[in-house]
Amino acid sequence: MTETEPGVEIEIASDVDDELVDAFARLVPQLSSSSPPPDRSLLAELIEGDDTVLFLARADGAIVGSLTLALYRIPTGLKAWIEDVVVDESARGRGVGRSLNAAALDEARRRGAKNVSLTSRPSREAANRLYQRIGFARRETNLYRYDL
């Protein structure tokens, strides 16, 4: 475990237990109203996968946030993306998001990624300010999505 902000501890999830399932049942609705929380089998798949790292933030022993680092190799190198960052509304403003991102950036660097990307809706103003303060640069690009 790495402590990055006072009172905030970051760990990589290694087991699926009731605490983890309950935490995601509480956190995911704060992130997305259109996606259900992951069940035990999906959480196990995330934890066991070589291409994902599931970070958890704890404050006072309780899980108060999570971040998923997704990695994949392409001909031009190792790509890394930060996805599904969520901090419980009760813990916002305490450095949880910064701590999660710092741990993910360290892990991506350790694995040999040359950069890390993420997207954030413009309406998430606090998150966008945080990403810019950390050092993420806004890119001029077109993001396309094809819904299946």
Side-chain angles (χ1 to χ4, degrees):
M1 253 189 286
T2 304
E3 186 167 329
T4 55
E5 291 286 329
V8 177
E9 294 178 337
I10 304 300
E11 64 187 63
I12 294 175
S14 59
D15 297 310
V16 178
D17 57 15
D18 289 343
E19 179 191 27
L20 188 66
V21 173
D22 292 346
F24 274 86
R26 180 175 35 82
L27 292 171
V28 169
Q30 295 179 55
L31 175 67
S32 171
S33 59
S34 61
S35 297
D39 61 17
R40 281 182 184 277
S41 63
L42 180 54
L43 287 168
E45 201 174 316
L46 287 169
I47 289 170
E48 294 165 9
D50 292 332
D51 57 351
T52 52
V53 182
L54 184 60
F55 291 91
L56 304 174
R58 290 184 182 272
D60 301 320
I63 298 172
V64 295
S66 71
L67 175 153
T68 303
L69 179 66
L71 302 120
Y72 61 97
R73 187 160 299 284
I74 60 172
T76 56
L78 182 65
K79 294 280 191 172
W81 279 83
I82 289 177
E83 296 283 352
D84 287 354
V85 180
V86 60
V87 174
D88 190 274
E89 57 195 5
S90 68
R92 292 181 187 156
R94 295 174 56 186
V96 174
R98 176 182 292 279
S99 297
L100 283 165
N101 277 276
L105 293 171
D106 286 347
E107 181 69 12
R109 188 177 296 109
R110 187 185 73 72
R111 290 184 180 221
K114 57 184 178 180
N115 57 50
V116 179
S117 299
L118 59 80
T119 61
S120 185
R121 288 189 299 273
S123 62
R124 297 180 57 112
E125 293 175 10
N128 282 280
R129 284 192 305 273
L130 170 65
Y131 297 135
Q132 290 173 31
R133 277 196 315 269
I134 291 172
F136 282 91
R138 189 165 178 247
R139 302 201 51 205
E140 292 298 323
T141 186
N142 295 327
L143 175 65
Y144 295 94
R145 175 176 290 157
Y146 187 95
D147 288 330
L148 299 174

